[in-house]
Amino acid sequence: MFIEQDSHRMRRFLLSGGFFIALLLLIKFNSSVVTMMDAVLQSLFTSQRLEGAGLFHALMTLLSFLASPKMDILWVVIIAVILWVKRYQIPALWAIGTLIGGDVLGEIAKHIVKRARPAQHLAADDGYSFPSGHTLGIFLVAAILLLIVIPLIQRRSTRTICQLLIVFVIFFVAVSRVYLYAHWPFDTISAMLLGYAWLQVAEWLYVAWAPKLRRVSFLADSGI
């Protein structure tokens, strides 16, 4: 199987989930420490910002667009179609379910905290700020690639390069959301914590149910 049994999965879930809940509560109840740290960190990423100009600004804008929730859905659908054609039907279904589940959790968290976005945010960035939907979505897309797609690549060097590129993309998408004033820094950090915690649950579900789903007729020959 792509995803194997892991005795440390529960520990990782409790750690990442615990940190996420701690940040959620601190932000929900307007912790002055978190607010101050957010302001300091945001200034580091935006101090050299030139509005609408420069290669870096264009790159941040492009990355933010490519990691938008709608684009995340498109990327996962493409991945799922390719996996399905390659007869990896169960991983294809898992990929779609993983993104949908993460997005639902993100929306629930947004409506619990109801944090306002930075005052300078673009009109296109509406809704609540915590956690960052862009960062959460691209984190899960990256996880799907790392767990399901990258292992199918034969050459080890190619796999390593792809893994590094994926890590850089996650980092710079998070930076782009802060740079564009769409989110506070802890919104993006919390999104990754939530994504990682949910991923532990999704991996556990895969291990538990993938062998059973192979008994379904149209999934019988599916690679897992």
Side-chain angles (χ1 to χ4, degrees), residues 58-134:
L59 176 62
M60 293 294 97
T61 303
L62 177 62
L63 280 174
S64 184
F65 167 74
L66 293 176
S68 64
K70 291 181 180 178
M71 292 302 293
D72 291 335
I73 293 172
L74 175 62
W75 303 138
V76 169
V77 168
I78 292 173
I79 293 169
V81 169
I82 293 172
L83 289 171
W84 193 278
V85 170
K86 295 290 186 180
R87 302 186 68 81
Y88 294 107
Q89 292 97 328
I90 294 174
L93 295 174
W94 179 83
I96 294 174
T98 297
L99 181 66
I100 292 174
D103 285 346
V104 169
L105 290 174
E107 283 299 312
I108 292 173
K110 280 180 181 290
H111 285 83
I112 290 174
V113 177
K114 297 182 179 179
R115 190 184 200 190
R117 292 180 186 269
Q120 307 93 326
H121 75 89
L122 300 176
D125 294 314
D126 56 357
Y128 297 122
S129 188
F130 176 96
S132 166
H134 286 63

Side-chain angles (χ1 to χ4, degrees), residues 24 45 48 132 176 182 199 212:
L24 183 151
F45 290 109
Q48 301 300 320
S132 166
S176 75
L199 188 62
K212 299 176 183 178

Side-chain angles (χ1 to χ4, degrees), residues 41-42 45-46 174-185 188:
L41 290 171
Q42 187 185 57
F45 290 109
T46 59
V175 169
S176 75
R177 301 307 289 160
V178 177
Y179 172 83
L180 295 171
Y181 292 112
H183 292 284
W184 300 99
T188 62

Side-chain angles (χ1 to χ4, degrees), residues 114-187:
K114 297 182 179 179
R115 190 184 200 190
R117 292 180 186 269
Q120 307 93 326
H121 75 89
L122 300 176
D125 294 314
D126 56 357
Y128 297 122
S129 188
F130 176 96
S132 166
H134 286 63
T135 308
L136 174 60
I138 204 64
F139 183 93
L140 292 174
V141 172
I144 291 165
L145 288 171
L146 290 171
L147 291 169
I148 303 296
V149 178
I150 300 301
L152 297 175
I153 299 174
Q154 298 297 319
R155 294 186 61 180
R156 182 176 180 180
S157 58
T158 304
R159 290 200 305 270
T160 301
I161 291 171
C162 290
Q163 290 165 348
L164 291 173
L165 286 174
I166 288 170
V167 171
F168 278 117
V169 167
I170 296 172
F171 174 76
F172 281 108
V173 165
V175 169
S176 75
R177 301 307 289 160
V178 177
Y179 172 83
L180 295 171
Y181 292 112
H183 292 284
W184 300 99
F186 275 113
D187 297 338

